Amino acid sequence: MNRTEMEMSGPGASRHSRTVKRRQWGRLRQQWKLLGLFEIDQQHEFYSLTCMMKEGLFAAVQNTIDNPLPDELSEDDYTLEVTQIHKDFRMDTYAGPVFASLRRSLGMTEKEYQQSLSSEGSYLQFISNSKSKADFFLTNDKRFFLKTQSKREVRFLLSNLRIYMEHLEKYPHSLLVKFLGVHRIKIAHQRMKYFIVMQSVFYPDDRITARYDIKGCEVSRWTDPAPKGSQIIVVLKDLNFEGQFIQLDQQCPWLLRQVEIDTAFLQTLNVLDYSLLLAHQPLHQDELSQSLSFTALIMRAKKSVNATSSPTHATSPTVPGMVAEEDFTLLSSELNTTQCHVTEMHNGNGATDIASPEEDKIEQQSRVGTESADLQTFQAQNRRLLPNFKNPLHVIDGPEQRYFIGIIDIFTVYGFKKRLEHLWKRLRHPRQTFSTVSPPAYCHRLCQWVQDHTK
């Protein structure tokens, strides 16, 4: 036995093993420290890039402001590519009018969108336990995500943009993440970077108590929670959620149906490996009431998409769920006027009928019954719109908890490589469920997961 072999089999080997373990543990601790949100200050490696993104996005949105949208989108709008030259880079914007149209349908003004993307506050970097090689950035107000994408992924999105828009138009409360812009930035002597802008599913996140990334399977679907009392943001997975339920009560059928609709759409795109993002937080005391008047429900819904009524822009604090007295009186008046108009017009020709007391009583009972049914439908289908903050399209209120739910990462096509991966995982993980399965199987399994974990 030579000297090296003696050292490796003696006390030195033990010390070497302990040193390796300490280094591994040190790297693991460092990874834990990195999880979460970090301000991209002047010392950050992405500071220069994000400053260029801000400048480029400001100009891109300004171009939309200066060139108002047409009444109807044309085929050219879907293929439009606008290049803007800046001092140290150039920015390409794809299908600008299409994404501006989507932003408008979500109740955003272009000035509001521009201000959020290019405010003086630094972007935030989000580092997660995801296997994705993409870089994630958040605007300073946390409303919008910016994510780097591959050229293939961007091409896939743009090639399916029309049917994506048609789906959102048909199902305005779709759980699919809302893509708000696609861009490419080119910096001298560097590789081009493609990135997309998305609406954050977890907004506002002030009181969120837990976050999950759900794929409906078992293999590699556990994440160690953050240490107790830690400020680290950890996105948990399927196995972490076992034993829990999404408590929606009367909203349950709506959610199950919408998940079926959205995943069926993704199946037509032949994609898999998408995730259902899920987070929850307790409701405020005033939000626990399920017996709000129809007027109050509509007013809260109006406030949720009204750019001027957000707590972000309010001069005084607002309480979620509260309706200002003057707004309530005004809307009540509007509703009463509308009801009178409908009563006058009920014969179909605009003439006013003079009904007998008995006829009027029967009609009033019928109208009350109709309004009661409408109220039940409104509560069942649209309670998710009620929180008093902007564009809560990914928000659903249950009896006690507010849930943030959205479907993300829809770019993985079930091609040759994924088919091979499926065969390998079948051998590697027998009798276990894993993420790489055919799109129909993936769709069915995620729907089943939601059904099994919602009540």
Side-chain angles (χ1 to χ4, degrees), residues 91-144:
M91 176 86 86
D92 299 322
T93 298
Y94 298 93
V98 179
F99 291 108
S101 174
L102 176 56
R103 296 193 293 267
R104 182 173 61 184
S105 73
L106 298 177
M108 296 180 205
T109 67
E110 290 301 285
K111 279 291 185 184
E112 173 189 3
Y113 181 64
Q114 184 186 55
Q115 181 180 359
S116 184
L117 290 175
S118 52
S119 66
E120 291 184 5
S122 298
Y123 279 0
L124 308 172
Q125 183 186 16
F126 178 63
I127 301 178
S128 72
N129 47 8
S130 169
K131 296 178 182 178
S132 173
K133 296 180 181 179
D135 296 313
F136 296 86
F137 308 116
L138 267 170
T139 54
N140 192 262
D141 58 8
K142 301 182 183 179
R143 279 192 70 187
F144 304 111

Side-chain angles (χ1 to χ4, degrees), residues 315-371:
T315 54
S316 59
T318 57
V319 179
M322 294 297 288
V323 178
E325 184 176 350
E326 61 271 22
D327 289 339
F328 188 90
T329 303
L330 177 62
L331 186 58
S332 297
S333 174
E334 290 176 0
L335 289 177
N336 289 334
T337 302
T338 302
Q339 284 183 346
C340 291
H341 180 68
V342 170
T343 302
E344 291 174 359
M345 298 289 289
H346 80 278
N347 65 349
N349 58 15
T352 304
D353 283 349
I354 302 176
S356 67
E358 187 64 29
E359 289 174 335
D360 189 57
K361 181 178 180 181
I362 293 172
E363 181 183 350
Q364 188 173 9
Q365 289 175 343
S366 174
R367 188 164 62 246
V368 168
T370 302
E371 289 174 0

Side-chain angles (χ1 to χ4, degrees), residues 40 45 58 87 91 97 102 106 111 116 138 170 192 242 254 261 271 280 283 286 302 341 377 438 440 450 452 455:
I40 301 177
E45 61 174 319
F58 181 91
K87 181 181 177 182
M91 176 86 86
L102 176 56
L106 298 177
K111 279 291 185 184
S116 184
L138 267 170
K170 188 174 182 180
M192 290 185 291
E242 285 309 302
W254 180 89
I261 290 169
V271 298
H280 57 77
L283 290 176
D286 76 296
K302 287 179 68 174
H341 180 68
T377 301
S438 68
V450 175
D452 292 342
K455 63 182 182 179

Side-chain angles (χ1 to χ4, degrees), residues 59-105:
V61 180
Q62 189 62 45
N63 184 57
T64 306
I65 294 172
D66 296 339
N67 297 280
L69 288 174
D71 293 333
E72 291 187 12
L73 295 172
S74 68
E75 189 64 37
D76 290 341
D77 291 325
Y78 283 88
T79 58
L80 183 64
E81 182 178 333
V82 175
T83 301
Q84 293 175 302
I85 308 298
H86 300 264
K87 181 181 177 182
D88 300 313
F89 67 98
R90 78 166 191 255
M91 176 86 86
D92 299 322
T93 298
Y94 298 93
V98 179
F99 291 108
S101 174
L102 176 56
R103 296 193 293 267
R104 182 173 61 184
S105 73

